[in-house]
Amino acid sequence: KSNSVLPHPHHPHLPGVSRSPIMLSWLSGSTTIPFTADVESVSKPGTKCCSSDPIEDMTPEKFTDYFWKWVEKKPPANSYVTDTKVTGEKATGLVEEISFEVSGLASFLVTMKGQFFNKYKVEGDKLLLEMYLSDSKLSTLHEVRTFTMLKEPFRLEVIHENKGARKSGPVLKGGLESTLKGLGIDVTCEADVDSPGEPGKQSVVSGSLGKEMTTEEFWGKMEPWLVGEQSYEKQGDALVKDEGGIFGGSSFVTISFDKAQDLIVKKDFGPDADKKEALITTYFRLVKDRVESWGVPKASIGSDQALADDVGKMVGQMIDIGSA
């Protein structure tokens, strides 16, 4: 079980912070449609996708109807969801607002709460699930999952795209508050506010620490705490740890101070022990008497086994709810 209190922007057990807001524990015991990962796309030659087995007694019209029923009736994805509202028109897209509250986790010393926003659209033979995370204005698209319907026989192709957009929402806020609390600094932080270091961009920003501090001085407090209290190991200039996933597996992390950029840099490599390419990089910087933090995920298009397993359950749930 993870015991890190650093911002962990894609914990699989939080709504909106795994690879996507909807990659969550779908209800077990329902229909699962088999999908094969990493196959050549028929609808978009030259790209890879997750492709379903043929689905019997299904047409694009019928599946589109099931899709809309699912959007309006699907149960909460997990126990952290406190409320779900669906608004809008099918013609322009339905908007889902998911409220959540997370407390009592070993990995967070504070209670986290917030909203995530998804938009569901139908465009021709494509069903789109757009994820805006905490952006209630729906102005910054973070991730999009596309279902393409193929006929004769009816089957689905799915890809999941991460746009690599900057993150500064409630999960990073909870993580920064946890880190500060661990260091004995009890201040609240604000999510999605103007960056003091890069005006025009958004960050999580702490309240005043009571005195001005440099990023290097802050790292001087953070590093011994990470080693002493959080079981990080020093390897060269970086601290290294397998933070572990909540559902088992590994999540390899490095944290270091980049003197040239005056930034503390946390890289999360997921299960890749060789730490080749970070899935998300989180930054910390001191601006006078406040800490700011933000995350940048790797831009990617997914069609892997984890996505195939997830959409198999998801499409099964659409069919169960749509045909009920």
Side-chain angles (χ1 to χ4, degrees), residues 41-84:
S41 168
V42 175
S43 62
K44 202 174 173 187
T47 62
K48 294 267 196 282
C49 69
C50 293
S51 179
S52 78
D53 288 4
I55 301 173
E56 288 177 17
D57 302 324
M58 190 61 71
T59 63
E61 297 73 25
K62 189 169 165 184
F63 190 75
T64 301
D65 182 51
Y66 284 8
F67 172 76
W68 287 127
K69 283 184 179 156
W70 172 80
V71 172
E72 293 177 318
K73 294 184 178 174
K74 63 190 170 74
N78 60 36
S79 61
Y80 299 123
V81 174
T82 55
D83 190 33
T84 305

Side-chain angles (χ1 to χ4, degrees), residues 2 4 9 67 78 105 115 126 142 154 204 246:
S2 167
S4 163
F67 172 76
N78 60 36
L105 287 185
Q115 281 81 34
K126 292 181 175 20
H142 285 265
F154 182 89
V204 172
I246 288 296

Side-chain angles (χ1 to χ4, degrees), residues 149-262:
M149 298 182 286
L150 304 175
K151 292 188 284 199
E152 292 166 8
F154 182 89
R155 57 208 189 281
L156 294 164
E157 290 189 345
V158 183
I159 58 163
H160 188 104
E161 185 177 2
N162 189 318
K163 301 283 190 182
R166 180 174 174 127
K167 292 175 186 255
S168 56
V171 177
L172 280 166
K173 171 184 182 287
L176 181 58
E177 285 178 346
S178 286
T179 300
L180 291 168
K181 194 168 181 180
L183 294 173
I185 303 167
D186 212 354
V187 295
T188 53
C189 303
E190 281 189 272
D192 297 324
V193 292
D194 199 48
S195 159
E198 292 175 90
K201 296 191 173 174
Q202 290 204 314
S203 295
V204 172
V205 181
S206 78
S208 171
L209 305 184
K211 62 173 185 183
E212 293 197 8
M213 198 185 290
T214 65
T215 306
E216 192 162 13
E217 285 168 345
F218 186 72
W219 175 243
K221 290 179 179 295
M222 197 168 161
E223 186 181 33
W225 172 72
L226 288 169
V227 173
E229 304 275 329
Q230 297 293 310
S231 335
Y232 279 77
E233 284 176 37
K234 202 158 169 58
Q235 289 184 9
D237 290 336
L239 303 182
V240 179
K241 184 180 178 182
D242 175 5
E243 291 193 338
I246 288 296
F247 299 132
S250 290
S251 192
F252 294 97
V253 170
T254 65
I255 306 176
S256 58
F257 174 60
D258 183 331
K259 199 176 172 100
Q261 293 190 82
D262 192 40

Side-chain angles (χ1 to χ4, degrees), residues 12 22-28 76-79 247 310 313 317:
I22 42 79
M23 275 189 72
L24 297 157
S25 45
W26 297 103
L27 296 182
S28 55
N78 60 36
S79 61
F247 299 132
D310 190 59
K313 293 184 190 133
Q317 198 184 57

